[in-house]
Amino acid sequence: MSISMHSLSHAHSLHHNHNRHHLVSPPKPFPVPRFSIRPRRECSPSSLRMQSFPVCSHNSVTKPEPINPTTHLAPSHHLKIAVIGFGNYGQFLAKTLVSQGHTVLAHSRSDHSHAAQKLGVSFFADPHDLCEEHPDVILLCTSVISTEQVLRSFPLQRLKRNTLFVDVSSVKEFAKNLLLEVLPNDFDILCTHPMFGPQSGRQGWAGMYCMFEKVRVGNEESRISRCDKYLDIFAREGCRMVEMSCSEHDSYAAGSQFVTHTVGRVLQMLELESTPINTKGYESLLNLVENTAGDSFDLYYGLFMYNKSALEMLERLDLAFEALRTQLFGSLHEVVRKQLFENGKARRKQRSLRETNGNGSAAGQTSMIHMRSKDVLQPHEYIPQASGSVDASSKLKIAIVGFGNFGQFLAKTIVRQGHTVLAYSRTDYSDVARKMGVSYFSDADDLCEEHPEVVLLCTSILSTEKVLKSLPFQRLKRSTLFVDVLSVKEFPRKLFFQHLPPDFDILCTHPMFGPESGKNGWSGLTFVFDRVRVGYNEARRSRCNRFLDIFAREGCQMVEMSCAEHDWHAAGSQFITHTIGRILEKFGLESTPINTTGYETLLKLVENTAGDSFDLYYGLFMYNANAMEQLERLDFAFESLKKQLIGRLHGVLRKQLFDHEQKLPELPLRKENPVAAKLSQNGAQNGAAHASSSELLKIQN
């Protein structure tokens, strides 16, 4: 990475430690996260527990179920809630609050009066007017960056003394310490984090996490009841209520929420687009980008700046990416070295043979080629096989070469459809084959002498060439159809042209699924194919179509495209998907008690890609000409995101430094000559201009 993570860490530390190193007391910088631990009053012990929060209007259940939101609460359960910050998220929450029958007020620096009117919310342009309505609850829906400024400018003196303050920010330690510092001691404090938003919660909140900590709630029954009634809003919608300390939340959220948003933003910079051959994993990444793209950079920056653990997560992601690239390039280096040494040995061996045998070796080689040519020239006549579960014209004899995990996965469906299946592999899978109704051959010559109509190569990318060159083609009928199922297509296409006799048919395919993604059936899953070389004979065309029909019968989405076009799309979808999955695997992604929908997506992606061997991933990189470009683009996107973060952090540090400079006590000036006075005046003007430009760093609500 071109940006040193050490530099970013140093800047991050400077920002947090800025107040520790000064000669005179500077003004309070804005905004500065505080991570001091303040004692809680009237708090439960710091412990994590998943629970069904006791719903005030009905009995609690083990698994919360959403209650019909149109069923209003009894008047005794109504709350008057003032939403401060009536932007996108504030309106999103207000809609449900109103639907449950609560009285909702709103204030925001921007005029959202029309939106409030449509929702049945009373909008106040002046916070003094709102506070004089004496709401039971103040719900802070401001951005993390603007929360301190909003809170310090709020007319707290106009509220009832025991008002409950609730925040919904994505970081909790900062919000908790800020509320404890700014609010009077007789105000109640509830820190919450609904782990969803307008996009992920558009179909309802059932099953979504809502984290909370009762930071400070008075002993009076009315105040305890008010806090419970507020939490009941989320429990009634079916949220999974999780009580944990703010520090525990931030530790988990740095690993889940920050990592999710980081991956989403990196992929957004790649400008991922849907392709005709999307895999399930790639679809999940597209959905992740869609969910995170709607969030502002301010939100992402807040997750980074105001969570102490976020920098560690960024560093770990950086290290994971570097480790994966090192592994890829190390494998590439090993292959190149092996080729160089083997080529050198081969040249020395050929030179030795020539010196020993003279021209005799050439004659021997010619006779061997002639003998093999005679063996290949066998009479061929296509004869339809007897009917099974498919009709006589559809049944095929298919030889699977490479009977590992994927070969067995395909064989199960092929056998079920009534085709005759043979198998050969270097590893002994005879017992597995027998249970599946497959005839297993430990000798490739024996398999080929059975004259299968189709040879289906299910070998790994790395071993395909070696296996193909070792097959006794002379034992097969001359018009045999060869099919591959590799994840790259140009590479096997060239191999087939290079090594197969010219009268063999070639069909390049890629089932865009595997044992994991296709375990519940193949319906709707993409199957790509290219009829590279199929004879004009009607029987040969029919055979090719019958093979493709195996997948069409299962409901696959059949996509015909050239091998080159496939590899171009696959580099942008499949290689990127596997790369992100492997980075997160090296990162050590783990489930948390407060997983978001996006984080669940990443966990499933890791699960799906972790089951594939590194050889498969290396093959996607090595044998797709477009893969290196995608790796470079991913690297560039990650670098760009880090530049954005460090640039924003640098801007905040500069603002703090200039604010500090402007507040320094003025020293008595000596008498200046006119030239010096003129220079001093110009400097003051420049400083004022610079200070005003730094004001642009403030984030508007």
Side-chain angles (χ1 to χ4, degrees):
M1 297 294 173
S2 61
I3 289 186
S4 167
M5 288 302 301
H6 175 73
S7 301
L8 188 56
S9 177
H10 181 62
H12 195 273
S13 301
L14 279 176
H15 177 67
H16 282 287
N17 298 324
H18 176 70
N19 288 342
R20 299 180 186 175
H21 309 288
H22 49 78
L23 297 176
V24 294
S25 298
K28 184 177 292 296
F30 169 75
V32 182
R34 294 170 181 79
F35 299 116
S36 60
I37 303 300
R38 296 279 299 271
R40 293 183 294 171
R41 296 194 302 172
E42 305 298 330
C43 296
S44 58
S46 174
S47 61
L48 169 90
R49 56 183 181 277
M50 275 283 306
Q51 62 177 15
S52 276
F53 189 80
V55 180
C56 298
S57 58
H58 59 85
N59 294 330
S60 62
V61 290
T62 305
K63 292 184 180 179
E65 296 291 340
I67 298 172
N68 186 352
T70 60
T71 304
H72 287 270
L73 297 167
S76 61
H77 293 137
H78 285 174
L79 291 171
K80 185 188 287 186
I81 303 172
V83 178
I84 309 302
F86 203 60
N88 193 27
Y89 195 76
Q91 294 173 33
F92 167 67
L93 293 182
K95 184 177 179 181
T96 297
L97 300 179
V98 171
S99 73
Q100 288 192 13
H102 300 285
T103 300
V104 181
L105 321 175
H107 162 71
S108 197
R109 285 181 291 178
S110 301
D111 183 8
H112 293 295
S113 55
H114 293 301
Q117 186 177 7
K118 291 179 181 178
L119 290 170
V121 173
S122 301
F123 187 81
F124 295 83
D126 190 326
H128 291 265
D129 295 336
L130 177 136
C131 291
E132 288 174 354
E133 294 291 322
H134 287 175
D136 302 305
V137 179
I138 298 291
L139 179 57
L140 290 171
C141 293
T142 52
S143 70
V144 182
I145 296 175
S146 63
T147 297
E148 182 172 6
Q149 185 186 43
V150 170
L151 194 59
R152 291 187 182 280
S153 65
F154 204 68
L156 302 174
Q157 71 279 6
R158 300 199 180 278
L159 295 167
K160 283 187 178 180
R161 285 171 295 170
N162 66 353
T163 304
L164 171 62
F165 267 72
V166 182
D167 90 289
V168 292
S169 64
S170 302
V171 289
K172 301 269 52 88
E173 271 287 277
F174 168 66
K176 170 188 169 183
N177 291 328
L178 182 63
L179 290 169
L180 285 169
E181 179 180 330
V182 175
L183 295 181
N185 291 334
D186 47 6
F187 279 28
D188 288 351
I189 299 172
L190 176 65
C191 285
T192 76
H193 183 197
M195 307 287 290
F196 51 90
Q199 184 67 24
S200 56
R202 64 184 182 274
Q203 304 295 336
W205 304 355
M208 302 286 190
Y209 287 101
C210 180
M211 167 271 167
F212 65 95
E213 181 185 2
K214 297 173 181 174
V215 176
R216 186 171 69 197
V217 178
N219 289 323
E220 294 91 336
E221 179 59 35
S222 61
R223 295 169 75 166
I224 295 172
S225 173
R226 177 182 59 189
C227 179
D228 289 347
K229 281 188 282 185
Y230 177 81
L231 291 171
D232 181 49
I233 293 168
F234 296 87
R236 285 176 63 85
E237 298 298 317
C239 287
R240 303 170 72 178
M241 309 300 290
V242 181
E243 184 172 9
M244 65 168 62
S245 70
C246 291
S247 60
E248 286 172 317
H249 167 278
D250 283 3
S251 176
Y252 287 123
S256 59
Q257 202 175 19
F258 178 70
V259 168
T260 302
H261 277 261
T262 299
V263 173
R265 287 193 167 271
V266 168
L267 295 177
Q268 185 183 0
M269 290 178 175
L270 286 181
E271 298 180 343
L272 295 187
E273 295 180 350
S274 184
T275 75
I277 55 173
N278 292 352
T279 60
K280 279 187 175 180
Y282 189 63
E283 286 285 355
S284 69
L285 292 185
L286 291 174
N287 291 335
L288 177 64
V289 172
E290 182 181 351
N291 287 338
T292 55
D295 296 323
S296 66
F297 185 77
D298 285 351
L299 170 63
Y300 176 63
Y301 174 73
L303 293 174
F304 169 70
M305 195 65 243
Y306 297 97
N307 189 323
K308 291 181 289 187
S309 305
L311 182 60
E312 178 193 347
M313 297 298 112
L314 194 65
E315 290 173 337
R316 285 178 58 195
L317 272 177
D318 199 31
L319 289 173
F321 192 16
E322 284 299 317
L324 183 63
R325 293 203 309 173
T326 300
Q327 191 176 4
L328 273 178
F329 296 154
S331 297
L332 181 62
H333 180 255
E334 184 64 27
V335 169
V336 172
R337 284 182 68 255
K338 188 176 180 182
Q339 287 179 348
L340 288 174
F341 281 111
E342 286 184 350
N343 289 342
K345 290 178 181 177
R347 284 193 295 269
R348 287 193 295 272
K349 186 175 181 180
Q350 289 173 0
R351 191 183 307 115
S352 176
L353 286 172
R354 283 196 299 268
E355 291 172 355
T356 303
N357 299 328
N359 294 331
S361 61
Q365 186 177 14
T366 303
S367 62
M368 178 63 70
I369 293 173
H370 178 68
M371 180 195 72
R372 289 180 179 175
S373 299
K374 287 177 65 178
D375 283 347
V376 169
L377 298 174
Q378 300 177 16
H380 168 71
E381 179 182 356
Y382 174 70
I383 303 175
Q385 303 297 310
S387 177
S389 60
V390 291
D391 58 42
S393 61
S394 299
K395 192 172 181 182
L396 291 169
K397 183 189 286 187
I398 301 172
I400 297 178
V401 177
F403 202 59
N405 194 26
F406 195 76
Q408 295 170 31
F409 168 67
L410 294 182
K412 184 178 179 181
T413 297
I414 296 172
V415 169
R416 179 171 51 78
Q417 288 191 12
H419 301 283
T420 301
V421 180
L422 321 175
Y424 161 73
S425 197
R426 286 176 293 178
T427 304
D428 184 8
Y429 291 112
S430 54
D431 291 336
V432 176
R434 185 166 52 253
K435 292 177 182 178
M436 297 177 67
V438 172
S439 300
Y440 186 80
F441 295 84
S442 57
D443 189 312
D445 288 272
D446 293 338
L447 175 108
C448 292
E449 287 176 354
E450 292 292 320
H451 289 174
E453 298 161 275
V454 179
V455 174
L456 179 59
L457 286 177
C458 293
T459 52
S460 71
I461 302 176
L462 300 183
S463 63
T464 297
E465 183 172 13
K466 183 177 180 181
V467 170
L468 188 64
K469 291 166 71 174
S470 70
L471 290 178
F473 299 131
Q474 72 276 9
R475 308 291 180 201
L476 295 167
K477 287 188 176 181
R478 288 169 295 170
S479 64
T480 303
L481 171 64
F482 267 72
V483 182
D484 87 288
V485 290
L486 293 182
S487 302
V488 291
K489 299 269 58 79
E490 275 288 276
F491 170 66
R493 177 180 179 273
K494 291 176 181 176
L495 274 185
F496 282 155
F497 275 125
Q498 184 178 354
H499 298 292
L500 290 182
D503 45 7
F504 278 27
D505 287 350
I506 299 171
L507 175 65
C508 286
T509 77
H510 182 196
M512 305 288 290
F513 50 89
E516 183 63 30
S517 55
K519 62 187 175 187
N520 296 316
W522 304 352
S523 181
L525 300 178
T526 304
F527 182 88
V528 182
F529 65 96
D530 182 8
R531 295 184 179 98
V532 176
R533 184 173 70 198
V534 179
Y536 290 107
N537 182 289
E538 177 59 33
R540 295 169 76 164
R541 291 202 302 269
S542 173
R543 177 182 58 190
C544 180
N545 290 334
R546 280 181 284 152
F547 178 82
L548 293 172
D549 188 51
I550 293 170
F551 298 87
R553 282 173 179 266
E554 299 298 316
C556 288
Q557 181 184 349
M558 308 298 287
V559 179
E560 183 169 11
M561 66 169 55
S562 70
C563 292
E565 188 179 3
H566 167 278
D567 282 4
W568 188 83
H569 286 304
S573 59
Q574 198 177 20
F575 177 70
I576 288 295
T577 302
H578 278 261
T579 300
I580 295 296
R582 288 193 170 272
I583 289 173
L584 295 177
E585 183 188 7
K586 288 184 178 295
F587 175 86
L589 209 66
E590 295 179 347
S591 183
T592 76
I594 52 173
N595 293 350
T596 61
T597 303
Y599 192 63
E600 288 285 356
T601 296
L602 295 182
L603 289 171
K604 288 177 183 175
L605 177 65
V606 171
E607 182 183 351
N608 287 339
T609 55
D612 296 322
S613 66
F614 183 77
D615 283 354
L616 170 63
Y617 175 63
Y618 176 70
L620 293 174
F621 169 71
M622 186 66 200
Y623 298 103
N624 189 327
N626 306 291
M628 178 62 85
E629 178 191 350
Q630 294 300 326
L631 193 66
E632 290 173 349
R633 289 184 65 219
L634 186 62
D635 188 24
F636 180 77
F638 194 24
E639 284 297 311
S640 299
L641 185 61
K642 289 195 294 181
K643 283 181 181 178
Q644 274 187 280
L645 284 175
I646 199 169
R648 183 67 168 274
L649 184 59
H650 182 252
V652 173
L653 284 170
R654 287 182 66 254
K655 184 180 187 305
Q656 290 177 350
L657 291 172
F658 281 118
D659 282 352
H660 171 66
E661 184 178 297
Q662 290 168 11
K663 294 294 182 179
L664 286 175
E666 294 185 5
L667 299 174
L669 297 175
R670 293 177 299 176
K671 287 187 178 181
E672 297 177 309
N673 59 41
V675 176
K678 182 70 173 176
L679 290 173
S680 176
Q681 183 180 3
N682 290 341
Q685 290 173 351
N686 291 337
H690 205 158
S692 63
S693 67
S694 69
E695 289 296 311
L696 295 174
L697 292 168
K698 291 184 178 179
I699 308 302
Q700 298 301 317
N701 191 20

